[in-house]
Amino acid sequence: TQPCSPKTQPTPMALSQILFVSCILAFLILSIQAIALPAHNIMEPQQPNSNVTIYGYHFHMYFLPEDDFARHSIQIIHDEAKKRWGDKVYREGAIRIFEKPVGPHPLPMCQIELGADDAETNFKLLREVLPWVQMNVDTAEHPVLFHPLTTPFSDAEEVKDHTVRALWLGQKLQINLRKL
């Protein structure tokens, strides 16, 4: 018998690509499920909402306000994101820190908002930002909510954006839907 040869380990770049593809596939599957499984009576036939389109994305990276280490690490995440994408996002203030809970969000957070005027720019940024968040944000310390921004705007679509169309990295937090 011959001894077993050692298995080759994937490179960090290959792992990053696998994670990126896995996340995109999960997002697409959840998006299809959101269209295929309406929240109301499932026995009623439904037409897909073909007039709703994605025009951008939000990344919300939460932190505990009383935790000085978490606040410091969120500042580092913010500063690095601004350095990388501050001139590419669609408006000033699209990468910012909220020191208190705002809107439906239960905790303070760093937000990265991708909402350029053209979809191609948003998808290009998404391909950069998503893997960076996956690889650089400690989601045990900073749970991440990733959700689309859709148009035409309505309260019902905003609720879907924050629930059935959303993805979580790390612990899923309770969003206050009454504040949408």
Side-chain angles (χ1 to χ4, degrees):
T1 62
Q2 294 184 6
C4 295
S5 63
K7 293 183 178 179
T8 59
Q9 297 294 318
T11 66
M13 178 59 113
L15 290 174
S16 175
Q17 291 171 338
I18 291 168
L19 280 172
F20 178 72
V21 170
S22 298
C23 191
I24 294 300
L25 288 173
F27 182 75
L28 291 173
I29 289 168
L30 289 174
S31 297
I32 291 168
Q33 288 175 341
I35 293 168
L37 300 174
H40 56 287
N41 186 348
I42 200 158
M43 299 308 289
E44 296 176 17
Q46 297 296 312
Q47 295 296 320
N49 195 349
S50 60
N51 66 338
V52 175
T53 58
I54 295 173
Y55 72 87
Y57 300 91
H58 274 176
F59 290 86
H60 303 281
M61 293 154 281
Y62 300 99
F63 66 95
L64 295 173
E66 65 276 2
D67 185 338
D68 291 337
F69 178 80
R71 176 59 181 87
H72 177 72
S73 65
I74 211 76
Q75 186 67 52
I76 292 169
I77 291 165
H78 169 269
D79 294 348
E80 183 63 25
K82 265 200 110 100
K83 185 169 74 175
R84 288 172 177 262
W85 301 292
D87 61 340
K88 297 177 185 175
V89 293
Y90 79 107
R91 67 177 175 81
E92 185 64 33
I95 301 173
R96 59 186 166 188
I97 294 176
F98 292 92
E99 298 291 345
K100 295 182 179 183
V102 61
H105 303 284
L107 291 171
M109 66 182 154
C110 175
Q111 175 179 288
I112 301 175
E113 184 176 356
L114 309 178
D117 290 334
D118 66 289
E120 184 177 330
T121 299
N122 288 326
F123 287 120
K124 181 178 183 289
L125 284 170
L126 178 63
R127 287 191 302 268
E128 293 176 24
V129 176
L130 181 59
W132 182 84
V133 168
Q134 289 176 306
M135 300 304 290
N136 293 286
V137 176
D138 178 358
T139 58
E141 185 74 31
H142 304 292
V144 177
L145 168 62
F146 165 66
H147 69 83
L149 304 171
T150 56
T151 187
F153 178 81
S154 73
D155 290 343
E157 296 304 324
E158 190 169 16
V159 166
K160 288 179 186 176
D161 289 349
H162 284 80
T163 57
V164 296
R165 296 176 183 147
L167 295 175
W168 284 92
L169 303 173
Q171 178 185 356
K172 182 177 180 178
L173 303 177
Q174 187 67 38
I175 299 295
N176 187 349
L177 299 176
R178 292 180 305 225
K179 292 191 175 185
L180 287 173

